[in-house]
Structure formats: C-alpha cells, structure tokens
Amino acid sequence: DDSACGDDACRAPAPSADGTIGSDRQECDCKAADIACMAVFWTYCPGFILIYAPLFCKLWRMRVAFRTAAKTNKLTITPSSHIFALIAAAAAIELTLLATWQLTYPLEYVRITTDRELLSGEPTESYGTCRGEEDTVGARVFVAVLLVYHATILVAGTYIAYQTRHINTRFSESKWVFLVLASTLQIFLISVPIIYVVESDPSAYFLVTSFIVFISNATVLCFIFVPKAMSHATALPMTQSP
C-alpha cells in the first residue's frame, strides 16, 4: 500500500526500541521531496531538447541546402534565425508539456510498504518513490507523451542523418551525428524497459538512470568533439624551424 507525504511529515517506517519498524511516520521535509520528484524532469527534459534539437535542425538545414542546390544549381542556406526559431519551438513544446504536467498531475514523494509484521500489522519494509499526486495514470500519460516526443526527434534526426551521410565532413558532420542519434536511440529503447523493471528498487533505479544520462551525454561529446579535435590536429601545418 502507498503512504503519501502529509503536510509536515513524510510517511516512512520508523525503527522502534527493539530494532523493528513500529511506526509508518518519520519527520522529514515533504515539500523538498515533492519538488525533487518533478525537478528530475525539469532538468533532464530541457537538457535533452537543447542537445538534440540543434543537431536535428543542423541536419535539416544541410539537407535542404544540398537538395536545393541539386535542383537549381544554386546553394541556398536557411537563415540562422529560422534555425533558432525551430529550436525555440521544440523547447516551447517541451516546456508546455512539463508545465501542464506540473499543474495537473505533479509527482509527489511516497513510501510504499512491501512487508508488515504478521501479528501487529506494522510495516517492516518499504521504499520511497515518486508517484502522481492524485492520479498515477495521469502522471504516466505525461511521461509517455514526453517519451514519444523525444523518440520522434531521435528517429527523425537519425533518418535525416542517414540521408545526408554522403555529404563531405567539411560541410557537415552528418556521419558523426548519425552515430550520436542512432546510439542514443538504442540507449533510449533499451533503457525504458530496464527502468520499468527496477522502478521498485531505489538503489538500482538511481544507478541505472545515472548511467543512462552519463552514457547519453558522453556519446554526444565523444562523437561530436573528438573527431573535430582529431581533424584539427591532423590539419595543422608542420612548424618549420628558422
């Protein structure tokens, strides 16, 4: 059964004098715990958009330029203002989803009892997690919508990167961006079921989510900046001694 936070205390098993857990209330700051539940999404989701939306827009801009050049023999570059507008639109959609979620079915910190004393019925084991304040289904719907939105960006970006894979790397890093998006999409598809399985184990859940965020960001940094650094290093002219 679930035990939600009260106004001044979180519901959590408290150890009794003999070492068992005899009460399901423990003083703590519930507001801070509730804020932390939603803060995870308020920090991760905008970060995702700020990383992958520019990559998507860059690929789209390059594809439009080369397709136009192939038809008209004239290279036309989409203005940077249009690119910034697309990124802003993607970010606005993300923030709108998060704000709507925050106002309708925000997450709150709860403790779920997994075992009770046989005779007294007092809780002996429990774990803390974040659940929907009034409707768990409503919160899961918003999570599903965000997942679909992120997956759409990754799939569309991967498709465009594949189409532009033959463009010289001097004009576009589509090959490396394709590896970034394809790798992130694989991580995305694998991580969703794993997170669902370990949801009831806080330690495993924290480890898995931290590892996923680290690998995703490290993939972007390695595939985007390491080739640039290597290309720059090999392109530098040899210094001649006087």
Side-chain angles (χ1 to χ4, degrees):
D1 54 350
D2 299 0
S3 297
C5 285
D7 294 334
D8 57 354
C10 294
R11 294 186 181 271
S16 59
D18 60 355
T20 62
I21 300 178
S23 173
D24 63 349
R25 290 187 66 85
Q26 178 181 353
E27 294 295 327
C28 65
D29 187 354
C30 288
K31 273 296 183 182
D34 293 343
I35 292 173
C37 286
M38 289 301 300
V40 172
F41 293 91
W42 277 103
T43 52
Y44 172 78
C45 292
F48 180 93
I49 292 298
L50 292 179
I51 291 175
Y52 294 101
L55 292 178
F56 172 84
C57 292
K58 182 177 183 179
L59 291 172
W60 175 80
R61 183 187 199 184
M62 193 58 57
R63 187 185 69 166
V64 171
F66 276 82
R67 280 192 172 184
T68 304
K71 293 179 179 179
T72 63
N73 293 325
K74 181 180 179 182
L75 186 63
T76 303
I77 302 299
T78 304
S80 299
S81 58
H82 292 182
I83 301 300
F84 289 130
L86 289 175
I87 297 173
I93 294 174
E94 187 85 1
L95 294 177
T96 300
L97 290 173
L98 289 172
T100 305
W101 184 10
Q102 181 76 57
L103 296 174
T104 54
Y105 303 107
L107 296 178
E108 69 171 7
Y109 180 79
V110 299
R111 293 203 66 88
I112 299 178
T113 301
T114 57
D115 195 12
R116 291 184 177 273
E117 188 72 26
L118 182 59
L119 297 178
S120 63
E122 295 292 341
T124 58
E125 291 184 6
S126 69
Y127 67 92
T129 186
C130 296
R131 293 288 178 87
E133 182 177 359
E134 297 178 355
D135 184 7
T136 303
V137 176
R140 291 185 181 275
V141 168
F142 277 102
V143 173
V145 171
L146 288 170
L147 288 176
V148 171
Y149 181 47
H150 291 179
T152 301
I153 293 176
L154 292 176
V155 171
T158 303
Y159 175 71
I160 295 177
Y162 179 78
Q163 287 185 320
T164 58
R165 67 191 184 280
H166 298 303
I167 298 177
N168 193 300
T169 53
R170 293 183 178 181
F171 304 102
S172 171
E173 307 93 345
S174 57
K175 178 177 72 173
W176 302 111
V177 175
F178 172 77
L179 292 175
V180 168
L181 296 175
S183 300
T184 304
L185 185 60
Q186 292 178 3
I187 295 171
F188 183 85
L189 295 176
I190 295 173
S191 63
V192 171
I194 294 177
I195 290 176
Y196 179 79
V197 170
V198 303
E199 185 180 9
S200 60
D201 188 339
S203 299
Y205 179 82
F206 176 78
L207 181 63
V208 169
T209 52
S210 300
F211 185 74
I212 290 170
V213 172
F214 172 77
I215 292 297
S216 300
N217 293 332
T219 300
V220 176
L221 294 175
C222 289
F223 281 127
I224 296 298
F225 292 103
V226 171
K228 286 180 178 291
M230 294 178 61
S231 177
H232 179 72
T234 56
L236 287 177
M238 297 291 293
T239 57
Q240 299 178 356
S241 56

